[in-house]
Amino acid sequence: MTIDDPARPETTEAPPSEATEATEATEATEATGASDAPGTAANTPRKAGTWSALRPLVLRLHFYAGVLVAPFLLVAAASGLLYALSFQAEKVIYAHELEVPVGDRTLPLSQQVNIARKVNPNGTVTAVWPGAEPDASTRVLMADPDVPEGTSLAVFVDPYTGEVRGQLPSFGSSGALPLRTWIDGLHADLHLGELGRNYSELAASWLWVIALGGLLLWLGRRRKNRRALFVPEGGPKSRRRTLSWHGSVGLWAVTGLVLLSATGLTWSRYAGENIGAVQDGLGGATPTLTATLGGAAGGGSEHEGHGAGHEQTGTTPQGPDIGVDKAVEAARAAGIDSPRISVVLPADGKGYVVKETDTQFPLQLDSAAVNPADGTVLDRLAFADYPLLAKLTRIGIDAHTGVFLGLFNQLALAALALSLILLILWGYRMWWQRRPGRPVARGAWRKVPVTMLLPLAAVTALVGWFVPLLGLSLLLFLAVDLTLALVAKIKARSTRTA
C-alpha cells in the first residue's frame, strides 16, 4: 500500500471532473475522514479532530516511504512470488530424484545409508530423511566439501530397490533443492551475503508501516457506502479508480502483509537480535533437547527459515551402535509417530536425534534423543510443551517460508506477493496520474497537538531503536525533507530579491 498522495483529496461522491474542481471547504471536510451525516452539507467543514490532525503526517510518511522504499519492496515481492511457486516447480524439475515406483517391501534405512556411502565415500552421513509418501525416495544427507558451506549433499535412494536416483545439494530444514535455494538467496540477500541482507530487512522494516498507514488513509476517506470500502469501483480510467483498486486490494491484503513483515523481521540481522532478546526475556525461548551422552544439554531446536541449515557433525561415533533402524524404532515407541521424520546420526558424543517434521495441521514436531549404545531414550521434547511465544515464532516462520499447511500456504504467499506488486504499481500510477505529484505540504507535524505529538515521538524513537533500519531510514527521510525545504526557501528568497 504505497504512494497515496492526494494533495487535493478527491470526494468519492463526485465524478472525476467535479473532484478536480473541489473547493477548499470540500478538501477540509475530506481531511477529517468523517462519514456523511444526515442533514449535513458535503461542503461544510467539520470541526478538526484527532484524525484531521494526524492525517497530513500519516499521508506524508506514506508518500515518502512509498516512493523511496517501494523499489525494495517490489524486489522482495517479486522474488517472494517466485519462491512461493518454487515448491511445486521442484516437484516437476526434480521428479526423477524425488519420486520412485511403489514397491512391495522397503529396504532397512541402514542399508540405504550404506548405499549412499558407497556412492560418495568422501562424504560423511549426517542425517536421513525417510520418504513420507509411498512413492517418495529416501534422502541421505552428507557433509561434503564439494557443496557450498551450510549445504548438505543429498543422495536420493529408492527405498524399494536401493537404486540411487541422483545427488543434489540440499539446503535448510525444508530441504530446498538448487532451484529453490537460488530463489531463496535472491529473496533473502540478492546473493550479496551479509550486505544484501540489509535490503530485505529494510523492506520488512517498512512493510508494516506502509501497510498500516495506507489502511488508516483508506478507512479515513469519505464514501457513500461500505461496499466502496471493500470492492474496487469500475468506470473510466482515472486516478480515482486506481486509488479504489489500490485501497480495496490493500484492505484485503493488509493483515497478511503485516504478518509477513513481522515474521520476516524475526530472523533479520539487527531487528532479529532485539526480537530474540525480548522473546527470551519473556520466557519464550525455544526449548532444547538433551541429546548429549552423559546428560549435558545437546543440540536444540532453533529458529528455522532463510539460511537455516542442518545439524552437521562430520565425525564418526565411537563404540557400539544399535543402528539407525533400531533408533527409529525406539523413538517410535517413545511417541514419535509422524510419518514425516528426520534422523540425525550420532557424533561428537551425542545420540541419535529423531525429529517429526510434519508442519501440516495438526502439527507434529516432537523430537527424541536415543542412546546409540542401547537404544534408551535420552530425552523427549514435545511441541506442546513449547512456550506460547516459541510456538508462534515457529509457526510464523514456517508460514513465511511456505512449509506450514503445504500447498495452501504457498498459494496464500503467492497471492500476497502478487497483491503487493500490484499495490506498488498502482501507487506509482497514482503518482503519475497526479503529476507533478507533490506531497502534502511540509510542517504537517505542527498540526498535531503537543499532548499527542510527544507520545508519538517517544513511540517512534522506541520503534526506531528496536527496528534499526527503520529508524535510520526515517532519519534519512527527515534529512531529505529538511534539505528540500531549505533549497525551496533559498530559491524563494533569491526570487524575491531578483
Side-chain angles (χ1 to χ4, degrees):
M1 302 173 67
T2 58
I3 320 175
D4 179 14
D5 176 28
R8 182 183 297 170
E10 300 169 338
T11 59
T12 58
E13 291 83 357
S17 60
E18 296 177 17
T20 56
E21 299 171 359
T23 63
E24 292 296 324
T26 304
E27 293 181 13
T29 301
E30 291 202 50
T32 66
S35 303
D36 291 329
T40 304
N43 60 351
T44 302
R46 292 173 174 82
K47 184 179 179 179
T50 300
W51 174 238
S52 62
L54 282 177
R55 183 179 183 277
L57 188 62
V58 174
L59 181 60
R60 191 163 184 81
L61 178 64
H62 190 69
F63 173 77
Y64 267 117
V67 170
L68 300 177
V69 180
F72 297 96
L73 286 172
L74 187 59
V75 173
S79 58
L81 175 61
L82 293 176
Y83 180 80
L85 300 176
S86 67
F87 285 86
Q88 302 306 313
E90 270 190 345
K91 295 180 180 180
V92 176
I93 296 173
Y94 306 113
H96 179 74
E97 289 82 3
L98 296 171
E99 299 177 6
V100 299
V102 179
D104 298 326
R105 182 183 177 191
T106 60
L107 300 174
L109 284 176
S110 57
Q111 186 174 343
Q112 298 179 56
V113 169
N114 288 333
I115 291 172
R117 283 195 177 108
K118 291 178 180 179
V119 170
N120 186 17
N122 295 326
T124 301
V125 177
T126 58
V128 184
W129 293 8
E133 306 295 337
D135 62 345
S137 60
T138 297
R139 191 178 303 200
V140 180
L141 301 175
M142 311 183 79
D144 190 289
D146 294 331
V147 298
E149 184 180 357
T151 302
S152 298
L153 178 66
V155 180
F156 297 87
V157 181
D158 186 327
Y160 303 103
T161 66
E163 176 193 1
V164 174
R165 307 282 291 183
Q167 302 180 58
L168 293 169
S170 177
F171 177 76
S173 57
S174 66
L177 298 179
L179 173 66
R180 184 153 57 95
T181 299
W182 189 88
I183 296 175
D184 176 65
L186 178 68
H187 180 68
D189 58 21
L190 301 177
H191 296 290
L192 297 176
E194 289 298 315
L195 177 63
R197 290 181 63 188
N198 293 326
Y199 120 81
S200 57
E201 183 168 354
L202 180 67
S205 299
W206 275 99
L207 178 56
W208 67 276
V209 178
I210 296 174
L212 293 179
L215 176 66
L216 290 176
L217 292 170
W218 183 242
L219 294 177
R221 290 181 65 84
R222 298 175 62 230
R223 51 184 54 85
K224 279 187 174 181
N225 53 64
R226 291 186 181 274
R227 185 178 184 276
L229 185 68
F230 300 98
V231 181
E233 66 179 57
K237 293 182 179 180
S238 66
R239 183 185 181 280
R240 189 177 72 171
R241 192 178 78 166
T242 306
L243 176 60
S244 175
W245 278 92
H246 182 81
S248 299
V249 173
L251 181 65
W252 286 104
V254 65
T255 301
L257 295 178
V258 171
L259 290 176
L260 279 179
S261 174
T263 53
L265 287 174
T266 56
W267 69 81
S268 62
R269 185 177 181 182
Y270 302 108
E273 293 181 1
N274 293 333
I275 293 173
V278 170
Q279 182 177 340
D280 293 347
L282 295 175
T286 302
T288 58
L289 183 73
T290 302
T292 302
L293 301 177
S301 303
E302 298 181 356
H303 296 341
E304 297 177 357
H306 298 291
H310 302 294
E311 295 181 55
Q312 296 182 354
T313 55
T315 61
T316 302
Q318 303 296 323
D321 189 343
I322 60 174
V324 63
D325 296 284
K326 290 186 177 180
V328 171
E329 289 178 8
R332 296 290 192 198
I336 308 300
D337 54 6
S338 171
R340 296 181 181 274
I341 61 171
S342 70
V343 185
V344 179
L345 271 60
D348 294 338
K350 296 181 181 180
Y352 286 95
V353 176
V354 184
K355 302 178 180 179
E356 294 179 336
T357 59
D358 190 355
T359 54
Q360 303 295 314
F361 191 82
L363 300 175
Q364 290 183 282
L365 298 172
D366 299 349
S367 58
V370 178
N371 192 323
D374 55 15
T376 57
V377 175
L378 300 170
D379 191 21
R380 185 180 184 280
L381 179 60
F383 185 70
D385 295 334
Y386 279 35
L388 178 60
L389 283 177
K391 289 180 181 177
L392 294 176
T393 300
R394 174 61 192 263
I395 293 172
I397 291 178
D398 283 351
H400 189 109
T401 55
V403 298
F404 178 60
L405 303 182
L407 179 60
F408 174 80
N409 187 176
Q410 295 148 26
L411 292 176
L413 285 176
L416 278 176
L418 182 59
S419 67
L420 181 55
I421 292 172
L422 292 174
L423 289 170
I424 293 170
L425 296 180
W426 284 327
Y428 278 117
R429 178 171 174 77
M430 283 190 295
W431 189 29
W432 176 255
Q433 288 174 323
R434 184 180 282 280
R435 57 188 182 275
R438 69 188 190 282
V440 69
R442 294 184 178 90
W445 62 271
R446 299 191 187 97
K447 300 179 181 180
V448 182
V450 176
T451 54
M452 189 186 306
L453 183 62
L454 293 179
L456 184 61
V459 170
T460 302
L462 179 62
V463 172
W465 171 83
F466 192 76
V467 187
L469 291 191
L470 173 64
L472 291 174
S473 54
L474 182 58
L475 289 176
L476 178 62
F477 292 170
L478 292 175
V480 170
D481 201 32
L482 290 174
T483 301
L484 293 176
L486 181 61
V487 170
K489 187 175 182 180
I490 292 174
K491 286 184 177 180
R493 184 177 299 174
S494 61
T495 301
R496 288 195 300 269
T497 57

